[in-house]
Amino acid sequence: MNVTAIIVAAGRGRRMGAAEKKQFLLLGQKPIFLHAVERISHVPAIRDIVVVTAAEDIVRTSHLMERAHIPVPTRITAGGPERQESVYQGILAAGDSSHLLVHDGARPLVQQDDVRRLLAALHDHPAAILAAPVKDTVKWVENGRAERTLPREKLWLSQTPQAFSSDLLRLAHERARAEHWSATDDASLVEQLGIPVHIVTGSPFNFKITTPEDLTLAEALLEKGI
Ligand SMILES: Nc1ccn([C@@H]2O[C@H](COP(=O)(O)OP(=O)(O)OP(=O)(O)O)[C@@H](O)[C@H]2O)c(=O)n1
Ligand SMILES: C[C@](O)(CO)[C@H](O)COP(=O)(O)O
């Protein structure tokens, strides 16, 4: 198995409400996205990395990556207005690896052992994702009212990385473009093809930095060596 990692970091970071795009905000001493790139790059099966960033950020992303001394070949490509398009641009820029792994640049505390377990699952499954079991009671809410309580044991929070055979992910994205499917994660597109997506339990530390509170939490965890 040889894997190309696609790290998507071309978003606007609107929910963070910062002047700077969140993927470039510092977590500890380095930008959030670079934590994700570095951690993924040290997983043995990762052959190379495509970082997807906004067109206007390609030069500064390149400079940041050069200084980081990433141990595998990397390339940078421009993303699109939605995450799905950014992933697709990453697929186009990826080489001929047998498998593709897609990870949010906004998930800096990804745990390398989780990634190893995810990639091991690809020996038996064409699609696998990290996900975390829900620990709270979940309500279905309409008009500010709890209409019903969902069965917690059936609910998982989808994370990234999400990993796929390259042909399957390419097919899913091509079909999505042809059929005008849109989804907030790549697994949804594969599910829409009727292909089962295997769940691998991911660490709760692998949360997506979306709002300022998430960054505060990540800073505290990083200081503890997570
Ligand atoms: N057009 C986009 C949108 C998102 N992403 C990336 O997809 C990941 C998850 O997206 P999200 O957390 O929603 O990031 P943003 O879209 O930047 O956040 P917001 O919705 O708050 O603007 C992030 O690493 C983000 O940079 C991307 O590459 N291209
Ligand atoms: C891909 C993802 O991180 C899985 O939970 C999530 O769907 C991204 O959603 P966003 O709205 O682009 O942050």
PDB file of all heavy atoms in Angstrom, residues 4 7 67 79 100 129 135 138-139 148 158 202 207 214:
ATOM      1  N   THR A   4      -1.137   8.602  -0.684  1.00  0.00           N
ATOM      2  CA  THR A   4      -0.960  10.057  -0.784  1.00  0.00           C
ATOM      3  C   THR A   4      -1.932  10.716   0.184  1.00  0.00           C
ATOM      4  O   THR A   4      -3.128  10.406   0.173  1.00  0.00           O
ATOM      5  CB  THR A   4      -1.222  10.562  -2.208  1.00  0.00           C
ATOM      6  OG1 THR A   4      -0.214  10.048  -3.089  1.00  0.00           O
ATOM      7  CG2 THR A   4      -1.186  12.099  -2.265  1.00  0.00           C
ATOM      8  N   ILE A   7      -4.156  17.116   2.411  1.00  0.00           N
ATOM      9  CA  ILE A   7      -4.459  17.933   3.589  1.00  0.00           C
ATOM     10  C   ILE A   7      -5.184  19.185   3.105  1.00  0.00           C
ATOM     11  O   ILE A   7      -4.597  20.008   2.383  1.00  0.00           O
ATOM     12  CB  ILE A   7      -3.181  18.347   4.347  1.00  0.00           C
ATOM     13  CG1 ILE A   7      -2.258  17.153   4.585  1.00  0.00           C
ATOM     14  CG2 ILE A   7      -3.547  19.075   5.641  1.00  0.00           C
ATOM     15  CD1 ILE A   7      -2.657  16.218   5.676  1.00  0.00           C
ATOM     16  N   ARG A  67      10.316  25.491   5.459  1.00  0.00           N
ATOM     17  CA  ARG A  67      11.009  25.655   6.747  1.00  0.00           C
ATOM     18  C   ARG A  67      10.698  24.503   7.700  1.00  0.00           C
ATOM     19  O   ARG A  67      11.385  24.292   8.694  1.00  0.00           O
ATOM     20  CB  ARG A  67      10.622  26.993   7.385  1.00  0.00           C
ATOM     21  CG  ARG A  67      11.176  28.202   6.642  1.00  0.00           C
ATOM     22  CD  ARG A  67      11.229  29.442   7.548  1.00  0.00           C
ATOM     23  NE  ARG A  67       9.881  29.890   7.905  1.00  0.00           N
ATOM     24  CZ  ARG A  67       9.188  30.762   7.170  1.00  0.00           C
ATOM     25  NH1 ARG A  67       9.699  31.224   6.035  1.00  0.00           N
ATOM     26  NH2 ARG A  67       7.989  31.156   7.548  1.00  0.00           N
ATOM     27  N   GLY A  79      -7.275  25.256  -3.808  1.00  0.00           N
ATOM     28  CA  GLY A  79      -8.570  24.652  -3.523  1.00  0.00           C
ATOM     29  C   GLY A  79      -9.713  25.407  -4.180  1.00  0.00           C
ATOM     30  O   GLY A  79      -9.510  26.193  -5.120  1.00  0.00           O
ATOM     31  N   LEU A 100      -5.736   7.018  -1.100  1.00  0.00           N
ATOM     32  CA  LEU A 100      -5.755   8.444  -0.781  1.00  0.00           C
ATOM     33  C   LEU A 100      -6.303   8.624   0.624  1.00  0.00           C
ATOM     34  O   LEU A 100      -7.283   7.974   1.008  1.00  0.00           O
ATOM     35  CB  LEU A 100      -6.620   9.213  -1.779  1.00  0.00           C
ATOM     36  CG  LEU A 100      -6.111   9.235  -3.229  1.00  0.00           C
ATOM     37  CD1 LEU A 100      -7.172   9.853  -4.162  1.00  0.00           C
ATOM     38  CD2 LEU A 100      -4.802  10.004  -3.335  1.00  0.00           C
ATOM     39  N   ILE A 129     -12.899   5.498   7.922  1.00  0.00           N
ATOM     40  CA  ILE A 129     -12.766   6.847   8.498  1.00  0.00           C
ATOM     41  C   ILE A 129     -12.552   6.737   9.998  1.00  0.00           C
ATOM     42  O   ILE A 129     -12.964   5.763  10.642  1.00  0.00           O
ATOM     43  CB  ILE A 129     -14.008   7.724   8.223  1.00  0.00           C
ATOM     44  CG1 ILE A 129     -15.245   7.216   8.977  1.00  0.00           C
ATOM     45  CG2 ILE A 129     -14.282   7.816   6.725  1.00  0.00           C
ATOM     46  CD1 ILE A 129     -16.415   8.191   8.948  1.00  0.00           C
ATOM     47  N   LYS A 135     -20.796  10.965  23.338  1.00  0.00           N
ATOM     48  CA  LYS A 135     -20.783  10.715  24.789  1.00  0.00           C
ATOM     49  C   LYS A 135     -21.915  11.452  25.502  1.00  0.00           C
ATOM     50  O   LYS A 135     -22.138  11.240  26.699  1.00  0.00           O
ATOM     51  CB  LYS A 135     -19.426  11.146  25.376  1.00  0.00           C
ATOM     52  CG  LYS A 135     -18.259  10.286  24.868  1.00  0.00           C
ATOM     53  CD  LYS A 135     -16.937  10.697  25.465  1.00  0.00           C
ATOM     54  CE  LYS A 135     -16.362  11.893  24.746  1.00  0.00           C
ATOM     55  NZ  LYS A 135     -14.959  12.172  25.165  1.00  0.00           N
ATOM     56  N   VAL A 138     -28.206  13.011  22.696  1.00  0.00           N
ATOM     57  CA  VAL A 138     -28.408  13.853  21.519  1.00  0.00           C
ATOM     58  C   VAL A 138     -29.907  14.059  21.283  1.00  0.00           C
ATOM     59  O   VAL A 138     -30.672  13.088  21.284  1.00  0.00           O
ATOM     60  CB  VAL A 138     -27.755  13.205  20.271  1.00  0.00           C
ATOM     61  CG1 VAL A 138     -27.934  14.102  19.048  1.00  0.00           C
ATOM     62  CG2 VAL A 138     -26.260  12.973  20.515  1.00  0.00           C
ATOM     63  N   LYS A 139     -30.262  15.294  21.098  1.00  0.00           N
ATOM     64  CA  LYS A 139     -31.669  15.633  20.867  1.00  0.00           C
ATOM     65  C   LYS A 139     -31.895  16.055  19.411  1.00  0.00           C
ATOM     66  O   LYS A 139     -31.046  16.730  18.821  1.00  0.00           O
ATOM     67  CB  LYS A 139     -32.083  16.819  21.766  1.00  0.00           C
ATOM     68  CG  LYS A 139     -31.871  16.597  23.272  1.00  0.00           C
ATOM     69  CD  LYS A 139     -32.810  15.569  23.833  1.00  0.00           C
ATOM     70  CE  LYS A 139     -32.619  15.432  25.348  1.00  0.00           C
ATOM     71  NZ  LYS A 139     -33.448  14.314  25.889  1.00  0.00           N
ATOM     72  N   ARG A 148     -37.218  14.763  19.834  1.00  0.00           N
ATOM     73  CA  ARG A 148     -36.987  13.382  20.256  1.00  0.00           C
ATOM     74  C   ARG A 148     -35.518  13.193  20.604  1.00  0.00           C
ATOM     75  O   ARG A 148     -34.678  14.043  20.254  1.00  0.00           O
ATOM     76  CB  ARG A 148     -37.405  12.384  19.175  1.00  0.00           C
ATOM     77  CG  ARG A 148     -36.716  12.478  17.839  1.00  0.00           C
ATOM     78  CD  ARG A 148     -37.304  11.398  16.898  1.00  0.00           C
ATOM     79  NE  ARG A 148     -36.678  11.416  15.596  1.00  0.00           N
ATOM     80  CZ  ARG A 148     -37.006  12.275  14.622  1.00  0.00           C
ATOM     81  NH1 ARG A 148     -37.921  13.212  14.846  1.00  0.00           N
ATOM     82  NH2 ARG A 148     -36.400  12.223  13.447  1.00  0.00           N
ATOM     83  N   SER A 158     -18.115  11.933  12.806  1.00  0.00           N
ATOM     84  CA  SER A 158     -17.147  11.693  11.737  1.00  0.00           C
ATOM     85  C   SER A 158     -15.950  12.629  11.892  1.00  0.00           C
ATOM     86  O   SER A 158     -16.114  13.833  12.115  1.00  0.00           O
ATOM     87  CB  SER A 158     -17.815  11.939  10.382  1.00  0.00           C
ATOM     88  OG  SER A 158     -16.874  11.961   9.348  1.00  0.00           O
ATOM     89  N   GLY A 202     -11.601   7.070  16.594  1.00  0.00           N
ATOM     90  CA  GLY A 202     -10.591   8.121  16.680  1.00  0.00           C
ATOM     91  C   GLY A 202     -10.596   8.783  18.047  1.00  0.00           C
ATOM     92  O   GLY A 202     -11.597   8.773  18.760  1.00  0.00           O
ATOM     93  N   PHE A 207     -10.120  16.654  17.441  1.00  0.00           N
ATOM     94  CA  PHE A 207     -11.278  17.494  17.091  1.00  0.00           C
ATOM     95  C   PHE A 207     -10.861  18.565  16.091  1.00  0.00           C
ATOM     96  O   PHE A 207      -9.675  18.899  15.968  1.00  0.00           O
ATOM     97  CB  PHE A 207     -11.889  18.132  18.354  1.00  0.00           C
ATOM     98  CG  PHE A 207     -10.947  19.002  19.137  1.00  0.00           C
ATOM     99  CD1 PHE A 207     -10.827  20.362  18.868  1.00  0.00           C
ATOM    100  CD2 PHE A 207     -10.158  18.449  20.145  1.00  0.00           C
ATOM    101  CE1 PHE A 207      -9.958  21.160  19.598  1.00  0.00           C
ATOM    102  CE2 PHE A 207      -9.280  19.234  20.880  1.00  0.00           C
ATOM    103  CZ  PHE A 207      -9.166  20.602  20.602  1.00  0.00           C
ATOM    104  N   ASP A 214     -12.239  26.159  20.563  1.00  0.00           N
ATOM    105  CA  ASP A 214     -11.485  24.972  20.146  1.00  0.00           C
ATOM    106  C   ASP A 214      -9.984  25.247  20.187  1.00  0.00           C
ATOM    107  O   ASP A 214      -9.189  24.394  20.573  1.00  0.00           O
ATOM    108  CB  ASP A 214     -11.884  24.584  18.703  1.00  0.00           C
ATOM    109  CG  ASP A 214     -13.341  24.202  18.573  1.00  0.00           C
ATOM    110  OD1 ASP A 214     -13.882  23.601  19.521  1.00  0.00           O
ATOM    111  OD2 ASP A 214     -13.945  24.522  17.530  1.00  0.00           O
TER     112      ASP A 214
END
